Amino acid sequence: MKQMLKVIVVDDEPLARRGMLVRLADFPELDIVAECSNGDEAVAAIREHQPDAVFLDVEMPGLDGFGVLKQLQQQQIDLPYVVFVTAYDHYALNAFEVQALDYVLKPVEKERLAAAVSKLTKNFEAKDDQRHKGQLAAVVAQLTGEKTDQILQRLDQSQPVMNERFPEAISIKDSGEITRVPVSAIDWVDAAGDYMCIHTRDGQTHILRRTMKELEQELDPKLFVRVHRSAIVNVNTIAKLQMLANGEHQLMLTNGQAVKVSRSYKDRVKMVFNS
């Protein structure tokens, strides 16, 4: 009798997660040991259960799928085989291609999932650690643009698989769809309660459920400056800094938008003009 593979399913959308669990139940070679609704839960569950494989959603608020891999490396937790689950369309999937162990596109198709599970079991039976590292390195290289041999070198030295770098695009979920917004197209961001309003160069506003602190950490500080506890601005869109009659300051952006500058962030904004 073949050994069952311990599997964890990670997805922040309850319906998508439940759907994946139902579909995976059709494969007797898989033993679902945990389900997780976010990246932090995934890291903890992988540490506890030491699964053979993880079906990992890529686009999650806070710690996303690639952030999970990074945390596992930083905490020196053994990497399971990873099957990425993503709602990216086929054009965007050129960023990964099939050089990961595999990926499954949402909505999940029965035949595609069966192929991914087959690939998973064959790789596990081969127990080829170098092949596993090569596959992981290839997908990270496709995502980040870094050279594969550099990633493999870090894996061999038990260093973090992903270097500190800032994403070129932000994925935003809305009504079952995911929009990839290029970071370079963002003019400014303001907070609206528990949501971020991302204003882009084409005049659109995208709503992102994430904290200002989390978003700020994802944006290159050379390109974006926090000007208020509830506002971040792309430095390339700043036209001028104005002092108002009441002694307060505001930024005028190239699109005509005025953004208030709080006193605590005033010096940080002035550094943009002095750089």
Side-chain angles (χ1 to χ4, degrees):
M1 183 177 178
K2 292 184 178 180
Q3 179 182 354
M4 294 182 68
L5 305 186
K6 295 191 297 181
V7 172
I8 289 177
V9 173
V10 184
D11 198 307
D12 67 302
E13 296 181 345
L15 289 178
R17 188 170 68 251
R18 178 53 54 188
M20 178 63 77
L21 290 169
V22 170
R23 290 173 175 81
L24 292 179
D26 292 335
F27 300 93
E29 62 269 42
L30 304 182
D31 177 20
I32 310 299
V33 296
E35 59 176 286
C36 306
S37 62
N38 58 59
D40 291 325
E41 287 182 7
V43 173
I46 292 170
R47 183 194 304 111
E48 177 183 355
H49 296 283
Q50 299 180 357
D52 301 305
V54 177
F55 284 78
L56 182 61
D57 187 17
V58 175
E59 307 89 18
M60 295 184 292
L63 191 66
D64 64 11
F66 292 99
V68 169
L69 296 184
K70 183 176 177 180
Q71 285 291 318
L72 295 177
Q73 282 284 305
Q74 290 178 339
Q75 298 182 30
Q76 298 184 335
I77 300 172
D78 290 340
L79 287 173
Y81 286 106
V82 176
V83 176
F84 292 108
V85 182
T86 175
Y88 283 132
D89 59 26
H90 288 285
Y91 179 80
L93 274 168
N94 289 334
F96 314 61
E97 260 322 312
V98 292
Q99 295 180 68
L101 174 62
D102 209 346
Y103 73 87
V104 176
L105 187 67
K106 294 180 180 180
V108 177
E109 297 178 353
K110 182 177 180 180
E111 294 78 10
R112 185 67 189 83
L113 182 60
V117 172
S118 176
K119 184 180 291 188
L120 171 62
T121 54
K122 288 178 180 177
N123 275 269
F124 183 78
E125 289 169 0
K127 295 184 178 179
D128 188 341
D129 185 59
Q130 284 305 118
R131 185 178 179 186
H132 178 206
K133 288 181 178 179
Q135 291 165 334
L136 180 60
V139 71
V140 174
Q142 288 286 341
L143 179 76
T144 65
E146 190 175 2
K147 293 182 178 179
T148 305
D149 57 354
Q150 294 175 340
I151 301 169
L152 282 170
Q153 184 177 10
R154 293 203 302 277
L155 283 169
D156 289 336
Q157 297 173 355
S158 298
Q159 295 177 355
V161 67
M162 298 181 73
N163 275 338
E164 291 289 348
R165 62 177 286 128
F166 301 97
E168 295 180 356
I170 294 176
S171 298
I172 300 176
K173 292 184 179 181
D174 183 26
S175 301
E177 296 182 348
I178 293 182
T179 302
R180 295 186 77 239
V181 177
V183 170
S184 60
I186 298 174
D187 277 350
W188 69 293
V189 180
D190 67 323
D194 295 331
Y195 296 87
M196 299 294 106
C197 296
I198 297 181
H199 307 280
T200 53
R201 198 153 301 150
D202 57 6
Q204 295 190 58
T205 297
H206 303 273
I207 306 301
L208 176 66
R209 187 167 185 175
R210 196 170 301 178
T211 67
M212 183 66 74
K213 181 179 180 181
E214 289 172 344
L215 182 58
E216 185 179 18
Q217 291 174 345
E218 290 190 22
L219 299 175
D220 188 343
K222 295 178 182 178
L223 299 177
F224 290 87
V225 59
R226 185 87 171 263
V227 302
H228 194 275
R229 64 182 181 84
S230 58
I232 296 174
V233 171
N234 185 330
V235 298
N236 293 319
T237 68
I238 298 175
K240 54 187 174 182
L241 175 64
Q242 297 177 326
M243 179 180 290
L244 304 180
N246 59 4
E248 295 184 345
H249 290 74
Q250 71 175 16
L251 289 174
M252 291 301 299
L253 307 187
T254 53
N255 62 6
Q257 176 69 45
V259 181
K260 182 180 178 181
V261 177
S262 69
R263 287 184 173 85
S264 56
Y265 290 96
K266 183 177 63 177
D267 291 340
R268 190 181 301 185
V269 172
K270 286 183 176 180
M271 289 178 62
V272 173
F273 291 87
N274 295 329
S275 60

